[in-house]
Amino acid sequence: MKEYNEYLRMVNDAISNLRLPARPAGLYDPIRYTLDCGGKRLRPVLTLATCHALGREPITAIHQAIAIEMFHNFTLLHDDVMDKADVRRGRPTVHVKWNEETAILSGDAMLTTASMLLDIKVGDHIQQAHELFNGSAMNIYEGQQLDMDFESRTDVTVEEYIEMIRLKTSVLLGCACGMGALMADAPMETQIRMFDYGVNLGLAFQLQDDYLDTYGNPETFGKAIGGDILNDKKTWLLIMAMNEDTTGTIRSLLGPTSDPQTKIRAVREVYNSLSLPERIHELISAYIDTAIKSLDYIDLAPEARTLFMDLALKSASRDK
């Protein structure tokens, strides 16, 4: 097994070597801009590490790993348009730097490019790879629709929220792990166990994102803190507060405000009074434990198990 940064270097080198056309620049420059933003590259690293852990050289799955990263970034371009987000990874979003039409069209091109990359050197796995990839994509779209539906609802349950983030965020991490197992010719049971590991890792990852959006440091998180609060986004924190705040304070704070910082502070005070920061980390730890238990059913070398355990544990303590 390699260190995380070694897999990351393989991913970044492969992205640097992509031969995107030069013209029309209005289509391809936003794609380069998006991919150059970097990020953790967690999904493609999971694909390479899983493939390696299960007995094949990581390069075996490099094209499929980059396909998943390309697809992930496609979703971000469209999400930023729908969410009207101004900053992504510390830089202006594509629709701000260019315009919404460009973000949509360049995102479409990224989706098609991802499908093309998926087919490179996939061998006999082409049908399974497409079933895994396309099934995960449809789940993500379903999750995005649920997220949009929640905007106009005040009765969203915790169970509905968890299902939404499972579809919208976690399934792609599951797909990344499952794809690596598939490219390693692992048995179906192993593919499923690695998929489950990725899904539970993803749930922990998204819940930590929710926490950081409210309590993180903007310098390390890469965007302004409190966006979820200002947009009344139905996160685990807000849903729990709406269920448990008997004073009615949290509901009185919903809606537009002329004083964003005051609203953020007031909502945080409600969250703190209900011990929600501590409780969300208890939930995050539970999902991490479930992810790690998935590894118990797979024959992994000690160093491979350690890598996947460390990735899961770091999800609970990351600050960006």
Side-chain angles (χ1 to χ4, degrees):
M1 291 296 291
K2 300 177 182 291
E3 298 291 331
Y4 185 97
N5 284 339
E6 294 178 89
Y7 294 116
L8 178 60
R9 191 177 307 114
M10 291 180 67
V11 170
N12 286 333
D13 287 347
I15 289 174
S16 297
N17 290 329
L18 284 175
R19 294 292 179 259
L20 295 174
R23 297 181 181 178
L27 179 66
Y28 293 109
D29 283 354
I31 298 176
R32 294 187 182 89
Y33 174 82
T34 300
L35 295 175
D36 286 346
C37 283
K40 291 171 282 294
R41 312 284 199 205
L42 176 59
R43 294 154 191 83
V45 166
L46 283 171
T47 301
L48 299 186
T50 300
C51 184
H52 202 190
L54 296 175
R56 293 295 179 89
E57 287 300 313
I59 198 69
T60 305
I62 190 64
H63 296 101
Q64 292 67 41
I66 303 309
I68 289 171
E69 180 69 2
M70 185 74 73
F71 177 86
H72 172 59
N73 280 276
F74 140 71
T75 67
L76 299 183
L77 258 68
H78 284 195
D79 282 359
D80 287 341
V81 171
M82 288 184 270
D83 294 343
K84 297 179 173 55
D86 294 336
V87 177
R88 168 74 66 179
R89 296 168 180 159
R91 303 207 299 182
T93 51
V94 169
H95 73 92
V96 169
K97 186 173 176 63
W98 282 272
N99 51 56
E100 289 188 1
E101 293 81 2
T102 295
I104 292 168
L105 188 59
S106 292
D108 292 345
M110 293 178 82
L111 172 59
T112 301
T113 302
S115 295
M116 294 164 65
L117 287 166
L118 188 70
D119 288 344
I120 298 177
K121 296 184 179 179
V122 73
D124 295 336
H125 302 303
I126 188 163
Q127 181 175 347
Q128 285 179 276
H130 275 274
E131 288 175 354
L132 176 58
F133 184 83
N134 292 334
S136 299
M138 292 306 298
N139 281 166
I140 292 163
Y141 306 149
E142 290 163 3
Q144 178 65 18
Q145 183 61 56
L146 289 175
D147 195 18
M148 293 165 59
D149 292 345
F150 290 173
E151 293 176 6
S152 59
R153 290 179 53 192
T154 58
D155 61 345
V156 178
T157 66
V158 168
E159 292 75 17
E160 286 179 306
Y161 176 72
I162 294 298
E163 175 63 4
M164 183 274 289
I165 64 171
R166 185 188 73 82
L167 293 168
K168 182 178 176 180
T169 301
S170 303
V171 161
L172 192 57
L173 275 77
C175 175
C177 293
M179 192 68 71
L182 174 64
M183 294 303 294
D185 288 316
M188 180 56 68
E189 182 179 353
T190 300
Q191 294 178 39
I192 292 170
R193 295 294 185 184
M194 286 307 304
F195 185 93
D196 289 343
Y197 165 84
V199 167
N200 283 286
L201 174 64
L203 288 167
F205 195 91
Q206 182 58 53
L207 288 166
Q208 180 68 0
D209 242 23
D210 292 353
Y211 170 82
L212 290 173
D213 194 275
T214 297
Y215 291 99
N217 182 336
E219 292 184 6
T220 54
F221 192 42
K223 60 181 179 180
I225 300 302
D228 288 348
I229 291 174
L230 296 178
N231 293 317
D232 299 330
K233 194 169 181 64
K234 305 306 188 304
T235 64
W236 185 91
L237 293 165
L238 180 57
I239 293 167
M240 291 294 290
M242 292 172 70
N243 288 341
E244 298 183 5
D245 175 32
T246 58
T247 68
T249 302
I250 198 70
R251 291 182 183 271
S252 72
L253 292 168
L254 299 178
T257 179
S258 58
D259 189 349
Q261 292 308 311
T262 296
K263 177 175 178 177
I264 292 170
R265 283 194 298 270
V267 170
R268 275 185 190 149
E269 287 176 8
V270 176
Y271 291 172
N272 293 340
S273 71
L274 297 170
S275 300
L276 294 183
E278 297 82 6
R279 290 163 66 189
I280 196 172
H281 276 110
E282 290 174 2
L283 183 59
I284 290 168
S285 294
Y287 282 119
I288 288 171
D289 288 345
T290 302
I292 291 172
K293 285 177 183 176
S294 296
L295 303 175
D296 293 340
Y297 300 92
I298 306 171
D299 184 18
L300 293 173
E303 61 270 24
R305 182 181 174 83
T306 297
L307 174 66
F308 292 120
M309 284 182 62
D310 287 349
L311 279 174
L313 292 169
K314 287 176 181 177
S315 293
S317 58
R318 67 185 179 89
D319 58 3
K320 59 182 179 179

